[in-house]
Amino acid sequence: MTIRTWLTPPPRRPAEPLDPSDRRALWIEITIVLLVTFGLSGLSSMLSLLESALAPAPLSDQTVALNVPRSSQQFIDLARQLLGIVRLLAWAALGVYLLWRSGIGPRAIGFARDQFRRGLLPGVGLAALIGIPGLGLYLVARAAGLNLTVAPSTLEDYWWRLPALVLWAIANSAAEEVLVVAYLITRLRQLGWSENSSLLASALLRGSYHLYQGVGGGIGNVVMGLVFGRYWQRTSQLWPLVVAHALIDSVAFVGYQALRGHVSWLP
């Protein structure tokens, strides 16, 4: 399959026209889901970027941490970390449930349990395709003063730190890929949006809630959203996206903890 083929939207049968009440109900559902999940995160992220831009220090001299302590007490911190992880997994479950209730089960979006193994190898390939250039983009954006310094974790050195970081990576990947790719693109298809329009909306949403990292973080995640979204549109397989995203985040979170203090450019 050529690059040009991947850039071309896959052929789809036109969506069944919805009557006005069904369209309104679908828009209400999308709005509520996004306000509860990543849409609100996107608005908050924009405010964070504005706040950082108005600060006296340049963006590259400011640091943002992704995984932070949530209590000075070890086991309360662990409990709150786990609650945050469960919340993200609940967001993913919400997206799967709403699609299932409308007749689109996990198998239709490529997220059934028996489809997991087939998604492992493509997931590793996608992780390499996105992760390595993504690190380069981050370094360039930071050097250009367009990005904050990102510290993937500032958790204390407790026995549960690394398992918690891996669980965060898995929960992040499940929530984002289910809601931002499978759920949103499916719903926009039902509303009659074209494949390119729904892909762009998905990618822009992904970029918006990463703007707290800086302009570079937003752009990098828009690119990731375009690649991941098109892959799903072409294959209807969600597991490779979840695997790839979990690997990228796991390497970033755990690798940072392992290299911190040994690599000069890491904060």
Side-chain angles (χ1 to χ4, degrees):
M1 188 173 290
T2 65
I3 294 178
R4 183 174 181 178
T5 303
W6 276 91
L7 294 176
T8 305
R12 292 268 171 195
R13 288 188 307 171
E16 293 291 331
L18 300 175
D19 62 49
S21 62
D22 288 338
R23 288 184 64 84
R24 184 166 57 252
L26 209 52
W27 274 118
I28 291 172
E29 179 192 288
I30 293 170
T31 301
I32 292 172
V33 169
L34 293 185
L35 285 177
V36 169
T37 61
F38 292 109
L40 194 61
S41 297
L43 296 174
S44 177
S45 190
M46 292 176 193
L47 290 176
S48 295
L49 177 59
L50 178 61
E51 182 180 26
S52 298
L54 294 175
L59 288 181
S60 58
D61 290 344
Q62 301 177 48
T63 300
V64 58
L66 305 187
N67 297 289
V68 299
R70 301 187 174 205
S71 173
S72 59
Q73 302 297 318
Q74 177 181 172
F75 290 103
I76 294 178
D77 191 5
L78 173 60
R80 286 179 173 164
Q81 299 292 334
L82 294 176
L83 286 176
I85 290 164
V86 169
R87 180 181 62 182
L88 285 173
L89 293 175
W91 287 4
L94 174 64
V96 172
Y97 173 75
L98 289 173
L99 291 175
W100 173 72
R101 280 294 303 268
S102 62
I104 304 170
R107 183 168 300 280
I109 62 172
F111 203 49
R113 284 181 297 176
D114 61 354
Q115 295 171 311
F116 171 69
R117 287 188 179 181
R118 288 183 308 191
L120 287 175
L121 189 57
V124 172
L126 280 172
L129 177 67
I130 295 296
I132 297 172
L135 176 60
L137 177 61
Y138 161 71
L139 294 175
V140 169
R142 183 169 172 264
L146 298 175
N147 225 71
L148 286 78
T149 298
V150 178
S153 172
T154 57
L155 295 179
E156 299 292 338
D157 189 16
Y158 298 133
W159 63 267
W160 49 262
R161 180 178 63 183
L162 293 185
L165 289 174
V166 173
L167 288 174
W168 271 114
I170 293 170
N172 277 327
S173 64
E176 291 190 43
E177 304 315 325
V178 168
L179 287 174
V180 180
V181 176
Y183 171 80
L184 183 59
I185 292 179
T186 297
R187 288 300 191 236
L188 294 179
R189 280 173 177 170
Q190 292 175 312
L191 289 167
W193 285 41
S194 70
E195 293 295 284
N196 279 342
S197 296
S198 57
L199 174 64
L200 182 60
S202 171
L204 289 175
L205 173 61
R206 189 189 295 263
S208 72
Y209 57 79
H210 286 94
L211 282 172
Y212 67 91
Q213 300 175 12
V215 176
I219 293 174
N221 277 278
V222 168
V223 173
M224 177 177 174
L226 292 172
V227 174
F228 276 26
R230 182 65 93 212
Y231 183 93
W232 184 77
Q233 287 177 326
R234 279 282 171 193
T235 66
S236 297
Q237 294 299 310
L238 195 65
W239 276 118
L241 308 189
V242 175
V243 169
H245 194 152
L247 283 175
I248 291 170
D249 282 3
S250 293
V251 169
F253 298 166
V254 177
Y256 175 81
Q257 292 294 164
L259 296 176
R260 187 181 183 186
H262 301 285
V263 178
S264 61
W265 50 267
L266 285 176

